[in-house]
């Protein structure tokens, strides 16, 4: 869960840096906040599972979570992080696509302006 949390934070930082390149993208005390969130939040889920399941939390034969505990304490957070990362990726891709599209439009407009400029000069003189 901690690794998934770090991947999610990295996706957030990359998206924030990409989108807010014009404005201030600094996060004060970011390392402390990221460490607390990436190590602390994933710690909550196993604690919930252990308190909830006591002796029945893990299967002793396979050393893995039982299904109903695993859904809440492992699979749920992983799926939420995966959805967040996918959404962030799609938003970043859309942002880059739109940015490229506007740059191409600006280049076409500049090229057309250069073609028209001699005509404007000849008309005014």
């Amino acid at each position: 869960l901690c690794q998934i949390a770090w991947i999610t934070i990295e996706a957030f930082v990359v998206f924030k840096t990409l989108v807010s390149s014009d404005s201030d993208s600094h996060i004060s005390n970011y390392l402390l906040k990221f460490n607390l969130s990436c190590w602390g939040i994933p710690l909550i889920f196993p604690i919930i599972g252990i308190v909830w399941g006591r002796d029945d939390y893990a299967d002793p034969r396979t050393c893995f979570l039982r299904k109903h505990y695993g859904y809440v304490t492992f699979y749920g957070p992983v799926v939420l992080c995966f959805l967040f990362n996918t959404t962030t990726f799609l938003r970043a891709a859309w942002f880059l696509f739109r940015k490229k599209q506007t740059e191409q439009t600006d280049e076409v407009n500049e090229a057309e302006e250069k073609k028209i400029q001699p005509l404007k000069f000849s008309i005014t003189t």
Side-chain angles (χ1 to χ4, degrees), residues 94-111:
W94 180 254
F95 176 78
L96 289 174
F97 175 73
R98 294 290 303 244
K99 186 175 181 180
K100 184 177 179 181
Q101 195 174 30
T102 56
E103 287 175 357
Q104 288 176 347
T105 305
D106 291 343
E107 289 174 2
V108 168
N109 289 341
E110 288 175 9

Side-chain angles (χ1 to χ4, degrees), residues 16 24 26 30 32 37 39 41 74 81 84-85 93 116 122:
K16 185 170 172 45
D24 184 27
H26 178 72
Y30 70 94
L32 176 66
S37 62
W39 293 106
I41 293 173
F74 182 72
C81 288
F84 177 81
N85 289 340
I116 296 174
S122 63

Side-chain angles (χ1 to χ4, degrees), residues 68-121:
H68 54 283
Y69 298 115
Y71 290 144
V72 175
T73 61
F74 182 72
Y75 299 118
V78 167
V79 167
L80 288 176
C81 288
F82 178 75
L83 289 174
F84 177 81
N85 289 340
T86 303
T87 305
T88 304
F89 172 74
L90 291 175
R91 288 178 64 199
W94 180 254
F95 176 78
L96 289 174
F97 175 73
R98 294 290 303 244
K99 186 175 181 180
K100 184 177 179 181
Q101 195 174 30
T102 56
E103 287 175 357
Q104 288 176 347
T105 305
D106 291 343
E107 289 174 2
V108 168
N109 289 341
E110 288 175 9
E112 288 177 3
E113 185 67 32
K114 285 182 181 179
K115 288 178 185 176
I116 296 174
Q117 192 172 13
L119 293 174
K120 287 182 179 178
F121 179 71

Side-chain angles (χ1 to χ4, degrees), residues 6-22:
W6 277 109
I7 291 170
T8 303
I9 291 294
E10 286 298 323
F12 169 74
V13 169
V14 167
F15 179 74
K16 185 170 172 45
T17 303
L18 179 69
V19 171
S20 63
S21 61
D22 297 332

Side-chain angles (χ1 to χ4, degrees), residues 36-53:
L36 288 175
S37 62
C38 288
W39 293 106
I41 293 173
L43 183 64
I44 294 170
F45 295 104
I47 291 173
I48 290 171
I50 291 170
V51 169
W52 178 28

